[in-house]
Amino acid sequence: MVAYARETDAIVLNCTEHGESDLIVTLFCRDIGRLSAIAKGARRSKKRFTNKLELFSFLHITYQQKANRTLAFLVDAELHTSFLRIRQNLELYCIASVIREFLLNGVRENEPDEQIFRLSLWALHNLDQRQPPITVLSLFLIRFFDHIGYRPDLQSCARCSSQVSMRNRYSFDTTSGRIICSNCHPHAHQSWPLSHGTIKILRLAQDQPIERLHRLKMSGNILYETILLLQEYGNQLFQRDIISWKLARTFIKK
């Protein structure tokens, strides 16, 4: 069966050595979702792939894939941007690695998602431009969970359905993805408490157009509450620890 060449934009999520000179590359592609491809002779290439298949690089790729094969053949790659600052700075690299791991867990082959693709580029661009890294990660995750169908419900109590009010305290239930007021669970605030300021900024982040998402500012206790909540919620959703959190946590300060 003939495999015709196709083109698309892609973000490099993983790259491993294969044989003496090849690379197996995992890509998040605009048109087809996740794609695994072999780059023949990439480790010896002096032109086609030199400095292009690094983690987080944004590429325009040409590839071939037969219908009955899961592994594609990477024909060529042109570099849009390398996001070089991310690989030169330990904090940026650790934060981007959390994003990368969520994408590896959350995107599937033959399931393109333009919203997640744009969100991923937004996050990498803002990290590369040295925007506050933990804030970028928090905003990425709150939108990412929404796009994969697990939007946290921050509008009303999961038990009594009352709307958020300044009169109550709230906590977040990672199992249901909803908030619980102190009237329904008097001690809930002792586990995953959420201040009214945190609830407000998260609700804004859920609905803000991506072009204006960078305008949202987080700091202090709001940022600390947010990132810990999103970490626990992500672990609950995927039923596994995100390994990259271990290093990223060293940069999270209350």
Side-chain angles (χ1 to χ4, degrees):
M1 182 179 293
V2 177
Y4 295 97
R6 302 176 183 177
E7 298 183 30
T8 187
D9 289 332
I11 300 167
V12 179
L13 297 183
N14 201 28
C15 195
T16 57
E17 295 181 358
H18 180 74
E20 294 185 358
S21 61
D22 303 338
L23 292 173
I24 302 293
V25 188
T26 303
L27 303 153
F28 178 28
C29 302
R30 186 189 298 274
D31 297 336
I32 56 171
R34 182 168 169 165
L35 177 72
S36 295
I38 185 167
K40 288 286 187 179
R43 290 156 62 193
R44 296 177 180 173
S45 172
K46 300 298 182 183
K47 183 179 179 181
R48 285 190 305 156
F49 301 119
T50 303
N51 300 324
K52 296 177 181 178
L53 302 182
E54 306 290 339
L55 290 183
F56 315 120
S57 292
F58 178 36
L59 310 172
H60 185 79
I61 64 167
T62 303
Y63 71 98
Q64 295 177 334
Q65 186 175 31
K66 294 183 179 179
N68 60 343
R69 300 287 181 87
T70 57
L71 191 64
F73 173 66
L74 191 60
V75 177
D76 198 8
E78 294 299 327
L79 187 65
H80 283 313
T81 180
S82 64
F83 297 120
L84 184 60
R85 291 190 187 96
I86 293 176
R87 296 197 299 276
Q88 293 176 333
N89 180 287
L90 180 59
E91 180 180 9
L92 298 181
Y93 187 88
C94 290
I95 299 304
S97 294
V98 177
I99 292 172
R100 165 184 168 270
E101 196 167 346
F102 272 105
L103 291 173
L104 284 169
N105 281 284
V107 298
R108 300 286 180 264
E109 293 182 2
N110 299 315
E111 293 184 10
D113 193 309
E114 177 67 20
Q115 289 182 311
I116 295 179
F117 192 83
R118 290 181 63 221
L119 177 66
S120 303
L121 287 178
W122 173 88
L124 293 173
H125 173 77
N126 278 273
L127 288 176
D128 195 60
Q129 294 299 311
R130 301 185 185 276
Q131 295 297 317
I134 305 301
T135 298
V136 172
L137 176 58
S138 297
L139 294 172
F140 169 84
L141 288 176
I142 193 69
R143 296 293 282 265
F144 178 74
F145 295 147
D146 189 352
H147 293 328
I148 64 173
Y150 293 94
R151 178 186 175 102
D153 186 346
L154 305 168
Q155 302 294 326
S156 60
C157 175
R159 299 185 181 177
C160 68
S161 299
S162 63
Q163 296 295 302
V164 171
S165 165
M166 294 294 292
R167 296 190 299 271
N168 278 328
R169 298 183 304 273
Y170 296 90
S171 64
F172 186 77
D173 178 13
T174 57
T175 301
S176 67
R178 300 187 64 184
I179 55 176
I180 301 175
C181 73
S182 54
N183 288 335
C184 293
H185 190 181
H187 303 293
H189 65 283
Q190 296 176 359
S191 53
W192 296 104
L194 283 184
S195 67
H196 290 93
T198 301
I199 293 173
K200 180 180 179 180
I201 198 73
L202 287 176
R203 286 167 61 170
L204 285 172
Q206 287 179 322
D207 298 320
Q208 192 79 279
I210 194 169
E211 295 80 10
R212 297 204 294 267
L213 196 58
H214 67 281
R215 299 181 183 179
L216 296 178
K217 308 300 180 184
M218 296 183 183
S219 61
N221 192 60
I222 288 177
L223 182 58
Y224 187 73
E225 283 184 358
T226 297
I227 199 64
L228 292 186
L229 177 155
L230 294 171
Q231 177 184 0
E232 187 65 18
Y233 189 44
N235 290 344
Q236 174 68 31
L237 289 179
F238 290 103
Q239 290 295 296
R240 54 164 292 175
D241 290 332
I242 300 299
I243 298 171
S244 303
W245 276 118
K246 186 175 182 180
L247 285 176
R249 281 291 297 268
T250 63
F251 299 101
I252 299 172
K253 300 175 182 179
K254 190 168 183 178

